[in-house]
Amino acid sequence: NAGVTQTPKFQVLKTGQSMTLQCAQDMNHEYMSWYRQDPGMGLRLIHYSVGAGITDQGEVPNGYNVSRSTTEDFPLRLLSAAPSQTSVYFCASSAVWRGGNGELFFGEGSRLTVL
Amino acid sequence: SQQGEEDPQALSIQEGENATMNCSYKTSINNLQWYRQNSGRGLVHLILIRSNEREKHSGRLRVTLDTSKKSSSLLITASRAADTASYFCATDFTGNQFYFGTGTSLTVIP
């Protein structure tokens, strides 16, 4: 059972380059989300989606784009990388219940360094 | 920020002792969840407590929720070295967005 799969695990970019972090889940979860984790800051929500074709912004969306063309996939695009985007990125998914979401299942993270 | 805040930031105990960490949040919630993160890994769900529940148990874990004080606590009983990790609370405000606190780093000394 794969759960949530993130690729790549590590990436080094130069300022101004673009890239896509991939996220796929095999649990048929409607809800998917991206977080970034920085030292002393906890996890901050970047974007989320409640189903195919539906996305919305979280706390820190600037500089990032997402799309949700299928239930399984939720890629995160960095349009023009900046050193401030150096972070560890986590994708997470959950089932959606009436009255709130269930537990989040996390990928193992993608460590991004922008030089 | 809508993040919760965990307290203490760091906790060091001897194996066999109990560990208690607290979470405070700012607005009304649907549910509150606790997660564990081992160094360099993704987060793993521990327990979920709904806004209409006051206490929940799962194995050596006990979670309480006080919605009037907007706070929750996680108790780990009879701690083990394998419990060494960071612990985060996450609050579900809108049903679509989870907000995480900054975490408590727990060290259990064998």
Side-chain angles (χ1 to χ4, degrees), chain A residues 31 35 37 40-45 48 50 57-59 90 94 97-108 111, chain B residues 1-3 30-31 33 35 37 40-45 48 50 88 90 92 94-103:
Chain A
Y31 182 87
Y35 291 86
Q37 185 175 31
M41 299 290 291
L43 280 81
R44 291 182 291 169
L45 179 65
Y48 66 96
V50 297
Q57 298 180 347
E59 291 178 274
F90 288 98
S94 77
W97 301 342
R98 190 175 298 176
N101 288 26
E103 65 177 277
L104 284 168
F105 290 81
F106 280 82
E108 287 295 307
R111 186 175 297 274
Chain B
S1 169
Q2 297 180 20
Q3 283 183 339
N30 294 315
N31 65 59
Q33 305 184 31
Y35 289 81
Q37 183 180 34
R41 306 297 300 273
L43 281 73
V44 174
H45 180 264
L48 179 154
R50 297 193 182 280
F88 295 87
D92 175 7
T94 66
N96 291 328
Q97 302 186 46
F98 292 85
Y99 288 91
F100 284 79
T102 52

Side-chain angles (χ1 to χ4, degrees), chain A residues 28-107:
Chain A
N28 202 33
H29 284 165
E30 295 133 308
Y31 182 87
M32 296 186 73
S33 54
W34 278 101
Y35 291 86
R36 59 178 289 173
Q37 185 175 31
D38 302 293
M41 299 290 291
L43 280 81
R44 291 182 291 169
L45 179 65
I46 305 172
H47 285 285
Y48 66 96
S49 168
V50 297
I54 306 169
T55 63
D56 209 340
Q57 298 180 347
E59 291 178 274
V60 288
N62 292 340
Y64 307 95
N65 271 0
V66 292
S67 60
R68 185 94 180 269
S69 56
T70 66
T71 299
E72 294 78 19
D73 300 300
F74 191 45
L76 178 72
R77 296 182 185 86
L78 281 70
L79 307 173
S80 178
S84 60
Q85 294 179 303
T86 294
S87 187
V88 181
Y89 292 84
F90 288 98
C91 179
S93 71
S94 77
V96 177
W97 301 342
R98 190 175 298 176
N101 288 26
E103 65 177 277
L104 284 168
F105 290 81
F106 280 82

